[in-house]
Amino acid sequence: MEDDGSNCTAQHSTAQHNFPINFNQSTADFQMTSRIRPSKRVKLEREIVGDLAGSDSADLYCNVCDLPFTEPTDLLLHIRNSLCHEDIARNSEKRKIDEHVEQVEQIKHIEYKSENHSWSEILAHDHPQVLEALQARCHSNYDLQSRSYVLRRYTEEDCAGLTKCGNCRRLQSDLERREDSKCTFHPGKRPFKKNGGGERPYSCCGKPGKGCQSRPTHSYGLPDPKYQEFATTPDGSLEGPKRRAVALDCEMVTVQTTTVPYKASELIFFCAVDYLTGETLMNIHVRPQRKVIDWCTRYSGVTAHTMAEAEAQGQTLDGWQDARSELWKHIDADTILVGQSLQNDLEVLRMIHTRVVDSAILTRLAVGFGGTREWGLKVLCEELLGMKIQTNGGKGHVCAEDTFATREVVLFCCHYPERLETWAMVKRKEQEEQQRIQKEASENAKREKARVREEEQKIREEALEKAMIERAKVNEKLAEIRREGSETADGSASKGEEVEMQEKEDELWREVRSEGRRRRRRNRQERKARTASKSEWSLP
């Protein structure tokens, strides 16, 4: 890895205020960067003004601009509004960061069995600083719970609420909370679209949206036994020191189950690496305990053949229980686990662990913007580290490569906050631009929808007016036919004349109905044309 940010220094930046403010009272050299939030800036300025309040007026002097001041507030306003001080602040911050990086020894590299990448090795005397930086970024329970981490053991009541309806596949707890007793569902499936977007009709009815079939009640199955299998990581014991931080990654396959939705993910390959030393603790196949219905080779990289070879060589663990037990030999409750979207890995291991640093959450929080978007490991490595991973195409991921790559991303986030903030700023601007485009598209869609409604209303009014005119013409013709029939010589129509008048009336009504059918056909064609044109202004 190059020195442009793909390496991570082994020392954490511990300067006060994260370099936003430096103040030297003897020289009145107050320097502020634009990165600090307005609320925090005001607070710090008040603290500085309070410190200067007791100073002699002779000390209130700006050496940079060669100007004296009589009041602390005047000096503060001068420093705040002076472009010269802004440039000094930026240069000072850059100089301090450069000095900070130079003080740390150049990080060595260890070659994992990979032709394309080398991974960072942190020197032993730098482990405390690296661990301290990692501890500072452990996520709160709120952040973990918002990403579906399991933080406590499930009770029987919890498990009962986690059963799903066999038809609509919704949770029992959600349905009971909404008091929704009617079950509406699609018995068919929707096709998969690689690029997403557009409507995906169901195979049963050929339509998207709400279900095409309904039942008066829901059909709940048995609760998934996995919810009763979760266990908390054991506390430290007398068995010996445990690893202080471990990066891990799991690959999964789809197995058949006896509970709704009759399929689940199960562990197939497991890798664990010491975060500080880079030592590979585990890198092994795990034999699933249930029938595999999808090997998910495009992600897991495992096939039935490779699994059989690993079993023949005795290089497998027997199920997720063995994998979890082996992992617990290296970690305890105080160990920090590092991973990408780690809630999925902990779920297949049935583990409850609260000391977690998740690279997906870490980068999402850095970007902020009130969104929930998370970036995948492949994107993070390419954009933050300039590293390309997962390049095997349909052959799947390399579990060890993903584990080391996650470690590199977290090291980068911990020790290069400035570069992380630069990346986050770019992503915020992209999201703002995307939000603006979506808003414009939504407004255009609303305007187009209103215009279509107006056109349809106008067409209906015109059609009604034409129908009324045609009805009046028909009535006039009928009256004329009847009048002609009543003006016979003897004042009464013969049987043949009555038949002739009836035929004229029938012919007239046939013409009216034929015209109505033609009009309705034209309306349907116009509606189809408008529906087809909606794809041009639909939301991206």
Side-chain angles (χ1 to χ4, degrees), residues 7 29 83 125 129 234 240 367 381 400-401 412 420 422 464 478 515 527 536:
N7 285 347
D29 183 12
L83 296 178
H125 67 272
Q129 291 89 345
V367 174
C381 287
E401 181 186 59
F412 179 91
L420 177 62
T422 302
L464 180 60
L478 288 174
E515 179 61 28
R527 282 196 297 271
E536 299 179 0

Side-chain angles (χ1 to χ4, degrees), residues 434-497:
Q434 185 178 6
Q435 193 177 65
R436 184 188 64 80
I437 293 173
Q438 289 180 348
K439 186 177 180 180
E440 290 181 357
S442 178
E443 292 176 354
N444 293 337
K446 289 179 181 179
R447 285 194 294 267
E448 183 66 19
K449 194 172 182 179
R451 186 185 66 80
V452 169
R453 281 200 302 266
E454 291 177 0
E455 289 183 356
E456 290 179 349
Q457 181 65 22
K458 186 177 179 181
I459 291 172
R460 283 195 296 269
E461 291 176 355
E462 291 177 353
L464 180 60
E465 185 178 355
K466 289 180 180 179
M468 292 176 64
I469 294 173
E470 291 175 358
R471 174 69 66 178
K473 290 180 179 180
V474 169
N475 291 335
E476 288 178 2
K477 289 182 179 181
L478 288 174
E480 184 179 352
I481 292 172
R482 294 191 181 98
R483 195 164 47 249
E484 290 176 357
S486 63
E487 292 176 353
T488 56
D490 55 358
S492 61
S494 64
K495 187 175 181 179
E497 291 173 344

Side-chain angles (χ1 to χ4, degrees), residues 102-291:
E102 289 173 1
Q103 290 172 359
V104 182
E105 292 189 44
Q106 194 70 21
I107 295 180
K108 296 181 181 179
H109 293 81
I110 53 174
E111 290 291 340
Y112 181 71
K113 294 179 181 180
S114 172
E115 299 178 356
N116 302 324
H117 312 299
S118 59
W119 313 107
S120 300
E121 179 185 13
I122 305 168
L123 300 180
H125 67 272
D126 291 325
H127 287 181
Q129 291 89 345
V130 175
L131 185 63
E132 181 184 355
L134 188 66
Q135 289 174 342
R137 283 160 178 79
C138 285
H139 305 301
S140 65
N141 286 348
Y142 174 80
D143 289 332
L144 297 178
Q145 191 171 7
S146 66
R147 297 307 303 154
S148 302
Y149 277 80
V150 178
L151 303 181
R152 62 179 179 84
R153 298 194 67 173
Y154 287 96
T155 63
E156 293 183 1
E157 296 179 356
D158 295 333
C159 294
L162 291 172
T163 57
K164 291 184 178 181
C165 173
N167 295 322
C168 65
R169 308 295 174 88
R170 290 187 288 177
L171 287 175
Q172 181 179 355
S173 57
D174 294 340
L175 294 170
E176 290 178 350
R177 185 171 62 254
R178 298 175 183 176
E179 298 181 355
D180 188 359
S181 60
K182 187 177 181 180
C183 181
T184 304
F185 63 96
H186 285 284
K189 296 182 179 180
R190 289 193 294 180
F192 174 75
K193 287 191 175 181
K194 183 176 181 180
N195 297 326
E199 295 181 341
R200 294 187 295 156
Y202 286 87
S203 60
C204 51
C205 60
K207 297 179 181 179
K210 294 183 178 180
C212 59
Q213 295 186 17
S214 61
R215 298 285 186 274
T217 57
H218 294 278
S219 175
Y220 296 114
L222 296 173
D224 194 329
K226 75 175 183 180
Y227 296 115
Q228 298 177 346
E229 297 168 346
F230 277 85
T232 306
T233 306
D235 295 330
S237 62
L238 299 177
E239 297 176 0
K242 302 289 186 177
R243 306 284 175 160
R244 291 173 290 179
V246 171
L248 59 88
D249 183 58
C250 298
E251 300 296 344
M252 284 82 83
V253 294
T254 303
V255 296
Q256 189 174 12
T257 64
T258 57
T259 58
V260 177
Y262 307 112
K263 62 181 180 180
S265 295
E266 191 164 329
L267 182 63
I268 193 70
F269 201 96
F270 183 58
C271 181
V273 173
D274 189 300
Y275 179 82
L276 297 175
T277 65
E279 178 187 354
T280 302
L281 308 177
M282 299 173 64
N283 188 37
I284 191 169
H285 287 81
V286 180
R287 184 169 59 251
Q289 298 178 324
R290 291 174 285 190
K291 180 181 177 181

